[in-house]
Amino acid sequence: MFSDTMEDYLKAIYVLQTEGGPPVSTSEIAEYLEKTPPTVTSMVSSLAEDGLIDHEKYNGVELTAEGETVALEVIRHHRLLETYLTEQLDYDWHEVHDEADALEHHISEEFERRVAEALDNPTVDPHGDPIPGVELDPIEGDDAVRLTEFATGDHVVVSRVSDRDEEELTYLEAAGITPGTELELTDIAPFGMITVETASGDEQSLPESVARSIRVEPVDEAVA
């Protein structure tokens, strides 16, 4: 058995590897988990000793096969729980992240199986993130990139959004920007504000920090 903290670190490393590729620096982990660098350094040493990560001093870390499997199981629990909370218990999508964080370490495999069956084995969570399969195979990558990577006039469709900031999720839901929403970038201000137009014709101005939390694909590629 691994502690909740160890699982949190493995999950964080997996997410960071997915976003930027390995190796993942200890400073990235510290920022993601809001921990101090010495705390992260200590846990990284423990994870390396347990064979869950490969760590070369000054070169960052990378999950081993065992560490990746543990991370994928926690992520599967988390995203199934988020989906269950929204679909079965009427939680809003901005409310479920912290609830799932608290529960993900403590559900049995039987409970996980029943939740998945009750939801008809979903493949994505409410925020558009892929749910690892029961075999815990690595999640296949997609072509989704940050909204900030596109230019004025581009047409995109939202693939997923980060689930980590309640205020951002509340803002995006009110703006009608959720997975599956088509957007046209109509303006990019020099100071970082990005204006998009939804299919209904509504314009929304997004701070760069919010736009970076939105992963999109070009409309033609998403449809194909």
Side-chain angles (χ1 to χ4, degrees):
M1 288 290 294
F2 305 106
S3 71
D4 295 0
T5 302
M6 293 173 76
E7 291 182 347
D8 284 340
Y9 272 79
L10 294 172
K11 182 176 70 170
I13 294 168
Y14 185 92
V15 171
L16 292 168
Q17 280 188 184
T18 301
E19 292 181 349
V24 176
S25 70
T26 54
S27 61
E28 288 178 294
I29 300 170
E31 180 179 0
Y32 187 89
L33 292 174
E34 298 180 342
K35 303 291 186 183
T36 65
T39 298
V40 172
T41 299
S42 176
M43 177 56 71
V44 161
S45 296
S46 296
L47 294 173
E49 288 175 5
D50 289 338
L52 298 169
I53 61 171
D54 289 323
H55 176 223
E56 291 185 24
K57 197 170 184 180
Y58 307 120
N59 285 327
V61 305
E62 181 175 359
L63 293 173
T64 62
E66 183 181 1
E68 182 177 62
T69 298
V70 175
L72 284 165
E73 182 171 30
V74 179
I75 291 169
R76 175 172 169 80
H77 289 176
H78 183 95
R79 294 177 181 174
L80 281 173
L81 287 164
E82 287 191 329
T83 307
Y84 187 82
L85 290 168
T86 54
E87 293 191 9
Q88 301 295 321
L89 300 182
D90 296 326
Y91 277 70
D92 287 332
W93 74 334
H94 67 271
E95 299 176 306
V96 297
H97 176 74
D98 287 346
E99 295 280 15
D101 260 354
L103 295 168
E104 65 192 12
H105 307 288
H106 307 295
I107 65 172
S108 67
E109 299 312 300
E110 177 62 16
F111 184 86
E112 175 206 307
R113 183 186 67 79
R114 293 193 183 199
V115 167
E117 287 185 357
L119 296 169
D120 197 23
N121 296 301
T123 57
V124 295
D125 72 10
H127 312 98
D129 285 316
I131 299 174
V134 68
E135 300 300 326
L136 303 179
D137 293 324
I139 300 170
E140 292 186 9
D142 58 25
D143 295 324
V145 297
R146 299 184 192 279
L147 179 60
T148 49
E149 299 296 316
F150 288 85
T152 301
D154 286 343
H155 291 257
V156 299
V157 61
V158 178
S159 295
R160 59 187 186 273
V161 299
S162 172
D163 67 351
R164 291 171 56 81
D165 190 308
E166 285 191 23
E167 290 186 0
E168 285 186 4
L169 288 170
T170 301
Y171 178 85
L172 291 173
E173 185 173 30
I177 299 174
T178 58
T181 302
E182 291 191 16
L183 305 171
E184 178 186 357
L185 280 74
T186 59
D187 185 62
I188 301 176
F191 52 85
M193 190 71 76
I194 296 175
T195 302
V196 298
E197 183 177 308
T198 65
S200 63
D202 294 329
E203 279 199 338
Q204 301 291 340
S205 293
L206 307 173
E208 184 177 8
S209 61
V210 175
R212 284 180 57 80
S213 74
I214 304 170
R215 298 281 179 153
V216 300
E217 297 180 53
V219 168
D220 54 350
E221 290 185 15
V223 172

